[in-house]
Amino acid sequence: MAETIPNSVGVSRGGFQKSFLAQAWLVLLLAVSFGSALAFVQNSLSDVIAANKLNETLTQVPELVWGADTPQYTADTSHPIQITPGTVSIKKVQKTAYYPVFRVSRGDIISGWVVKARGQGYADNIEVLIGADPHVETITGLFILEQKETPGLGNKITFPTWREQFAGKNTDTPFVVVKEKSTTKNSIDAVTGATISSRSVAGIVNQTVKDVKGRLTPQTVLSGEGP
Amino acid sequence: MSKLPTASERFIQGILPENPVYRQLLGLCPTLAVTNGLKPALTMAMAVGMVLLCANVIISLIRGLLKPHLRIVAFTLTIATFVTIVDRALSAYMYPMSKTLGPYIPLIIVNCIIICRCEVCASRQGPLAAAGDALGQSLGFGLALASIAMVRELLGTGMLLGIPILPDVWPPWVIMVLPPGAFLTFGLLLAGVNWIRAWRSNQPQRGN
Amino acid sequence: MAYLFDIFLIALGAALINNFVFYYFVGICPFIGVSRQVDMAVGMGSAVTFVMIIAVFISWTITSLVLVQGAPVSSWVAGFFMAKEQAAKIDLTILSYIVYIFSISSSVQFVEMYMRKFYPPLYKSFGVFLPLITTNCAILFACLTVMSKIVGVENPAEAWDLGRALALGIFGGVGFTIAIVIMAGIREELDLCDIPAPFKGAAITLIVGGILSMAFMGFVGVDSGIRTALM
């Protein structure tokens, strides 16, 4: 370092009480003015930041339910799209599984569900958005929100060409990841060189389907909604 | 005490001769962490620049009132406040980039560059010199980050700023965007800078 | 049992798999500056670990009890000035970074006073490096990681408790110590080698660090493998 920073312990012990205000008035003044500046920043920006966080998910939701047909539904102003957020909690033996869900409806008719799920990937947690039909009998879309997999290998799970393997598949049997070309009903081709990442995503989808199927139906009322 | 450098001298010094990364070896944590892409590197340099400028100017405005043993507290308070403001501003207006940079924006608080400049320049000179110093050091920091980021992103993904530059046939050196690539790239570039400096000082005097 | 398993995985992750120096690039300045001799490195690593534990303890406590939205202390105090529903919405997280950096400064002061009283020769040998621990990115990084596991977590039941936070603090410091001691051992050997002039000093340290980082990349995926195998 160009210069060393000396030890900041040096407040004289004698007469500490007497001269505290004289010594520290500047720091206290700075603290008060900076505190007000921060309160101002908090007031003006906290809503923008919260909206950013929510929009990150919301912008993906229509496409997860309708796929390639999305433009015709978003353009149809006679039946406006409503996205209602909610949560699903399932008590299990050791912990409670917690899923933020979004109900997508047009007019008042439900079009599908989007569930946010997370699980362990190869390197770290993977967070996904799973689109499903109103009875969670078919997967309509998959989107990877967060992943820290190996660049060039594991992070190919974010590519649409890999994710669209899930779309249109039935949820009655669990998804299985295979290395060669898939032949059986619910098999998914692994990303070359990233079998563990691919299996993790399939595992997350399987676990989510197992947890929410039966709880998410066209009649489900999300918490916070009226009767 | 010798005459202190003027604002423009501070500015010029900060870019190359007293470059914070290559010469002073300060602020190495973000240098290695965010340089796996050119865009995060430039965003980080801009964030550090804003914090450095604000902190330098404020500290130099109150430099006469600082008690010696409480000045570190004052520096820390000022820097932490501006970093919080910059962090919130980034989350509000550049949300995806804020997520990419993650915890490295708040780590600007302990970035040695800013505390060092406050100590060396801002607490001793007027606002104009402090501002010149801040701008020069940030420009130097940005140049250093950009140099490393360009190498890492180009060799690691074949792209710069997301635009493919290298032809498809060229296989990306994925190690470059991973942690080892950061260490190796910076180490080699640092050796290169040292070599150039040694070569220039060995050149016959040309009135430098 | 699952709790201990979780703690074990956090500890393993912080020390080896997501090593603070080789994966997250924090604590690089002392890593390059102080890693000349093994005994200095061990001392530095222990000091950083000690400070990290205290700092993580203070920051977890203040974050959970005061800063987070709906925290017990802040909503109780605000309850004197406003309605209960409004008081529960008080969000002081904007002050997080200031609180953390000052808790780190206080921890360093505390460790300094302790060392000066009980280990004077060690204190002398540290010299100016002890106050410089305040600017060590690794400690602030540990506090920020703990914060990210408390603030903004969607499922309140998944917010980290004190045990997990301390596990991160202790083993993050252990990981830093491992990194800096390995580096010191290698540098002691490098002192006997003939290094080309441009590489002397920081450059060769960084290149050796790069090779070490490559070695530590071998640990990636270990925790997910253990988790899958045992669950």
Side-chain angles (χ1 to χ4, degrees), chain A residues 1 4-9 13 38 41-42 94 96-98 100 116 118 120-124 127 148 196, chain C residues 2 18 23-24 91 93-95 98 109 112-113 116 123 128 131-132 135 154-156 158 220-221 223-224 227:
Chain A
M1 282 187 59
T4 55
I5 301 175
N7 192 335
S8 65
V9 172
R13 297 266 164 215
L38 287 179
V41 166
Q42 166 87 330
Q94 298 217 323
T96 313
Y98 183 94
K116 190 196 282 200
R118 65 187 318 159
Q120 178 78 32
Y122 172 64
D124 204 343
E127 199 174 58
K148 291 203 170 76
I196 300 185
Chain C
N18 299 326
Y23 188 81
Y24 285 124
D91 184 352
T93 50
I94 190 119
L95 299 176
I98 300 181
Q109 298 287 19
E112 223 180 319
M113 292 194 293
R116 190 155 54 174
Y123 177 76
V128 75
L132 277 184
T135 58
E154 275 157 355
N155 180 1
E158 270 180 27
V220 171
D223 54 351
S224 73
R227 209 185 277 267

Side-chain angles (χ1 to χ4, degrees), chain B residues 8-24 132-144:
Chain B
S8 45
E9 277 169 13
R10 284 280 191 200
F11 178 74
I12 306 278
Q13 286 287 89
I15 303 180
L16 288 180
E18 267 182 42
N19 188 291
V21 173
Y22 283 119
R23 295 288 296 126
Q24 299 181 67
D133 185 62
L135 290 172
Q137 292 281 324
S138 329
L139 204 51
F141 185 65
L143 277 174

Side-chain angles (χ1 to χ4, degrees), chain C residues 74-132:
Chain C
S74 57
S75 37
W76 178 73
V77 170
F80 293 127
F81 303 106
M82 54 184 87
K84 276 275 182 286
E85 303 81 36
Q86 262 191 308
K89 286 219 189 97
I90 293 275
D91 184 352
L92 293 176
T93 50
I94 190 119
L95 299 176
S96 315
Y97 303 152
I98 300 181
V99 165
Y100 295 159
I101 190 65
F102 279 112
S103 69
I104 295 174
S105 303
S106 333
S107 318
V108 171
Q109 298 287 19
F110 175 72
V111 170
E112 223 180 319
M113 292 194 293
Y114 181 78
M115 232 194 241
R116 190 155 54 174
K117 181 89 190 274
F118 293 110
Y119 301 102
L122 185 61
Y123 177 76
K124 268 219 180 64
S125 69
F126 262 112
V128 75
F129 287 122
L130 202 44
L132 277 184

Side-chain angles (χ1 to χ4, degrees), chain B residues 171-184:
Chain B
W173 298 3
V174 178
I175 193 86
M176 279 296 175
V177 293
L178 294 175
F183 284 101
L184 293 172

Side-chain angles (χ1 to χ4, degrees), chain A residues 11-151:
Chain A
V11 178
S12 54
R13 297 266 164 215
F16 179 70
Q17 260 80 23
K18 259 192 299 183
S19 62
F20 173 68
L21 212 53
Q23 304 265 346
W25 70 270
L26 179 67
V27 175
L28 293 173
L29 181 66
L30 282 179
V32 168
S33 24
F34 288 146
S36 337
L38 287 179
F40 172 71
V41 166
Q42 166 87 330
N43 267 337
S44 32
L45 290 184
S46 59
D47 291 331
V48 181
I49 298 175
N52 279 339
K53 275 207 186 94
L54 197 55
N55 278 338
E56 204 195 10
T57 311
L58 287 183
T59 43
Q60 302 300 328
V61 163
E63 207 174 307
L64 282 171
V65 171
W66 292 306
D69 296 332
T70 310
Q72 78 191 65
Y73 291 111
T74 45
D76 184 359
T77 46
S78 58
H79 295 94
I81 304 176
Q82 297 142 336
I83 303 178
T84 323
T87 60
V88 171
S89 301
I90 297 127
K91 255 193 144 17
K92 295 190 190 172
V93 173
Q94 298 217 323
K95 56 183 191 150
T96 313
Y98 183 94
Y99 295 99
V101 301
F102 300 90
R103 182 208 291 125
V104 183
S105 29
R106 283 175 67 236
D108 277 314
I109 310 167
I110 181 173
S111 310
W113 297 99
V114 172
V115 183
K116 190 196 282 200
R118 65 187 318 159
Q120 178 78 32
Y122 172 64
D124 204 343
N125 278 340
I126 300 181
E127 199 174 58
V128 303
L129 286 176
I130 305 171
D133 72 326
H135 287 273
V136 193
E137 279 166 356
T138 321
I139 302 287
T140 50
L142 180 72
F143 183 75
I144 313 285
L145 271 180
E146 262 179 38
Q147 52 82 23
K148 291 203 170 76
E149 310 296 284
T150 320

Side-chain angles (χ1 to χ4, degrees), chain A residues 2, chain B residues 10 14 18 24 26 52 56 112-123 133-134 137:
Chain B
R10 284 280 191 200
E18 267 182 42
Q24 299 181 67
L26 299 176
L52 187 53
N56 256 15
C112 304
I113 299 177
I114 308 187
I115 300 188
C116 216
R117 294 335 286 175
C118 283
E119 169 82 14
V120 167
C121 175
S123 58
D133 185 62
Q137 292 281 324

